[in-house]
Amino acid sequence: KKWGLRTGVCLLTFSGHKQDVIGMHLCRDRARLFTCADRVRAWNVHDGSCVAVFGASTFYCAISDATALYAAQYDGQILQFDLDAQEAGAGA
């Protein structure tokens, strides 16, 4: 959920994970949020829409730069995903 800091009111709900979210990363531009659970999901923080889904496993944390997402998988592997390719074919 996205909460108003001054009002305490829920502004948006980000829904789509089938497991509890156990990690997240907010991009430097503050326009995109990555959440980790059963998959890694990329969200538009302004409207709450899921703009991309990565992987098919349990992920613990993620970081990104302008073109790539790096995500730690449950078995210790770190996977790299191409953001431009994934978001071009975005799916929720």
Side-chain angles (χ1 to χ4, degrees), residues 2-87:
K2 178 180 176 181
W3 298 90
L5 292 177
R6 294 192 176 123
T7 64
V9 172
C10 179
L11 304 173
L12 290 172
T13 298
F14 302 93
S15 59
H17 285 294
K18 292 179 176 64
Q19 297 174 350
D20 292 339
V21 172
I22 52 179
M24 58 183 256
H25 170 72
L26 181 63
C27 290
R28 287 182 185 229
D29 65 6
R30 299 182 188 265
R32 206 168 21 184
L33 173 71
F34 294 97
T35 55
C36 302
D38 51 310
R39 297 173 182 260
V40 178
R41 292 182 178 268
W43 306 92
N44 176 315
V45 298
H46 302 297
D47 65 13
S49 63
C50 180
V51 297
V53 179
F54 303 91
S57 178
T58 299
F59 291 90
Y60 291 106
C61 66
I63 59 171
S64 69
D65 59 23
T67 62
L69 168 71
Y70 305 91
Q73 197 169 250
Y74 74 97
D75 61 3
Q77 292 187 62
I78 296 176
L79 304 180
Q80 177 181 350
F81 299 97
D82 180 350
L83 292 178
D84 294 330
Q86 183 69 24
E87 289 186 7

